[in-house]
Amino acid sequence: MIYADNAATTKMSDAAIETMTRLMKETFGNPSSLYSIGQTAKEVLEQAREDVAAVIGAQPREIIFTSGGSEADNQAILSAAVLGARNGKKHIVSTAFEHHAVLHTLEKLEKDGFEITLLDVHENGIVRPEEVRDAIREDTCLVTIMYANNEIGTIQPIREIGAICREKKVLFHTDAVQAIGHIPVNVEDDNIDMLSSSAHKFHGPKCVGFLYVKKGIWSENLINGGAQERGKRAGTENVPGIAAMATALKEAADNLQKNTEKLTAARNKLIAGLKAIPHSAINGDEHNRLPGNVNFCFEGIEGESLLLLLDDKGIEASSGSACTSGSLDPSHVLLAIGRVHDVAHGSLRLSIGETITDEDCDYIIKSVGEVVEYLRGFSPIWRDLVSGKKQFIL
Ligand SMILES: *Cc1c(COP(=O)(O)O)cnc(C)c1O
């Protein structure tokens, strides 16, 4: 089996599993308790905070542990909105291809009287910094733009966008769930005010993540209760999960260069191989993308059938994000880069992991080619394209 859906979730690393199970057995205390086992748990928690902060160039006190990326996105955006509304600023700038954790939060704010500008991400899937500058108004309280897209993997010019936001004195949040642990991110160098991350995207456990909030920026609670996380996120901390996240993140950071080289080579090989399939096209910029992301459209087929047949061949992939699969609507990300419905339906996302081999790549290329050809064999759309009744787009 070749697991190629790491953008949906990753397998936990052995080291992260070891940390998590050890702490579950040995360090079950409540970090808010004063006796020894509680204090030991507190020490583990604070060590994890230091470790996580160090990887992204933050201070430990700037890290709020959350239940994952979605919660971190919600907290960041709602914090900026509450702050903005107090100052009469109710305009937010974002993009059309954000994760639903961001888009649905913005839709909710729109119903509450906020104005949302969603920037174009163009054909290459990359936001243009000058368009961010042009979109910022007197009443803009937040710019929220993802670091790297979860479907097409394109990496955004975050440092430039951050610099513009600093200059314009507007808060800048980035959903860095796909970036953290996969490409270098530094909140200081990148001019980031708030950043979301999730452990299960970098070989940590599910339902753990963190929100970075730059010192001096106020944040609103989503979960009210006890005084955990400096009063910013109530609830007894998931100590084993948080520590396992720190283990996984340190591991990812230590191996970043090695993994990047390996994944980039495999990705480029896959891209070259899939490009050779007639009437196919890569989605998003070919080079400025995550090391492990390959995303293609194949004209005349349905992505869902492609996935099922690949599954039969032992290849686990996706047609878009886990959130859109199961619905018949084409991916909002592919529509945002200008793919028409028919073409967007025939998409394939391979998000490969560090264990991929050269033989795996060969097998994937061969299998995708075979399945695409097979499906086209009885596709009415393909028949119309070949007979000239319909025009090829790709
Ligand atoms: C997976 C993902 C999320 C959601 O994170 P969860 O921890 O699953 O809530 C948010 N944004 C992006 C870009 C993602 O890939």
Side-chain angles (χ1 to χ4, degrees):
M1 184 196 86
I2 303 170
Y3 181 72
D5 203 12
N6 287 276
T9 198
T10 58
K11 183 181 178 188
M12 275 182 76
S13 74
D14 289 343
I17 293 173
E18 193 281 320
T19 298
M20 191 152 172
T21 46
R22 180 169 43 78
L23 291 170
M24 287 165 92
K25 285 181 199 152
E26 293 171 10
T27 314
F28 62 86
N30 186 322
S32 302
S33 301
L34 295 178
Y35 39 76
S36 303
I37 199 166
Q39 285 309 294
T40 308
K42 176 88 182 156
E43 280 162 24
V44 168
L45 184 68
E46 294 317 315
Q47 184 61 50
R49 200 183 307 280
E50 271 182 39
D51 293 344
V52 164
V55 171
I56 62 163
Q59 295 169 27
R61 53 180 291 163
E62 296 173 316
I63 303 295
I64 301 172
F65 291 124
T66 67
S67 69
S70 299
E71 183 185 328
D73 283 341
N74 274 260
Q75 184 163 10
I77 294 168
L78 291 175
S79 295
V82 169
L83 208 59
R86 270 190 212 151
N87 299 317
K89 296 182 170 189
K90 297 185 82 174
H91 175 242
I92 297 175
V93 177
S94 188
T95 77
F97 78 162
E98 297 295 312
H99 189 272
H100 284 129
V102 169
L103 286 180
H104 289 168
T105 305
L106 294 177
E107 277 168 24
K108 201 171 143 194
L109 287 172
E110 201 167 24
K111 291 199 183 95
D112 292 340
F114 279 78
E115 235 187 289
I116 315 291
T117 300
L118 295 183
L119 296 174
D120 191 359
V121 293
H122 309 280
E123 221 175 294
N124 62 356
I126 298 172
V127 179
R128 296 186 188 153
E130 64 272 21
E131 292 181 5
V132 177
R133 180 187 292 279
D134 292 345
I136 293 174
R137 316 190 308 212
E138 280 296 308
D139 62 341
T140 305
C141 63
L142 174 71
V143 171
T144 173
I145 293 176
M146 69 200 320
Y147 212 113
N149 184 268
N150 48 304
E151 289 188 34
I152 58 174
T154 48
I155 299 166
Q156 306 306 311
I158 291 301
R159 191 167 298 185
E160 290 87 327
I161 295 171
I164 291 168
C165 293
R166 287 272 151 92
E167 182 198 321
K168 299 271 189 182
K169 298 190 168 53
V170 176
L171 279 180
F172 176 46
H173 165 253
T174 183
D175 173 339
V177 173
Q178 292 289 334
I180 298 288
H182 300 279
I183 52 173
V185 174
N186 182 294
V187 290
E188 286 297 325
D189 297 346
D190 292 344
N191 306 307
I192 295 166
D193 294 322
M194 292 187 282
L195 170 149
S196 308
S197 177
S198 175
H200 76 101
K201 302 289 175 72
F202 53 77
H203 304 288
K206 291 174 184 47
C207 249
V208 194
F210 65 88
L211 172 64
Y212 157 81
V213 183
K214 192 177 170 61
K215 202 176 65 187
I217 294 172
W218 175 88
S219 74
E220 171 83 354
N221 290 21
L222 295 184
I223 317 278
N224 298 295
Q228 292 92 351
E229 299 300 294
R230 301 164 56 85
K232 291 304 176 191
R233 204 278 184 180
T236 304
E237 302 88 340
N238 173 7
V239 176
I242 290 167
M245 166 166 70
T247 298
L249 187 54
K250 272 195 297 177
E251 225 182 350
D254 288 346
N255 294 307
L256 193 68
Q257 202 189 338
K258 191 180 78 188
N259 289 341
T260 301
E261 282 167 17
K262 181 171 184 191
L263 287 172
T264 305
R267 178 199 73 189
N268 291 347
K269 178 172 176 150
L270 287 169
I271 290 175
L274 297 181
K275 260 188 183 171
I277 297 175
H279 303 287
S280 69
I282 190 168
N283 291 313
D285 192 274
E286 182 171 336
H287 305 287
N288 189 8
R289 63 198 299 127
L290 290 169
N293 179 288
V294 176
N295 193 316
F296 267 76
C297 278
F298 303 101
E299 206 163 2
I301 63 159
E302 287 287 338
E304 280 71 25
S305 328
L306 177 60
L307 294 186
L308 293 176
L309 293 175
L310 285 178
D311 187 21
D312 286 345
K313 290 178 180 283
I315 299 167
E316 293 172 324
S318 149
S319 63
S321 73
C323 322
T324 28
S325 57
S327 91
L328 282 177
D329 294 334
S331 141
H332 71 286
V333 174
L334 296 181
L335 296 181
I337 60 166
R339 294 285 182 223
V340 299
H341 279 232
D342 270 2
V343 171
H345 270 303
S347 65
L348 173 69
R349 177 185 71 184
L350 298 160
S351 43
I352 54 178
E354 297 79 12
T355 53
I356 191 139
T357 64
D358 224 29
E359 294 75 55
D360 290 343
C361 293
D362 290 329
Y363 181 69
I364 292 174
I365 293 165
K366 176 171 151 281
S367 303
V368 174
E370 285 168 6
V371 172
V372 168
E373 195 181 326
Y374 171 75
L375 289 171
R376 282 176 175 167
F378 52 85
S379 153
I381 298 177
W382 183 253
R383 201 186 313 128
D384 288 351
L385 288 167
V386 173
S387 71
K389 228 163 120 187
K390 262 185 155 179
Q391 291 284 310
F392 278 110
I393 294 166
L394 302 182

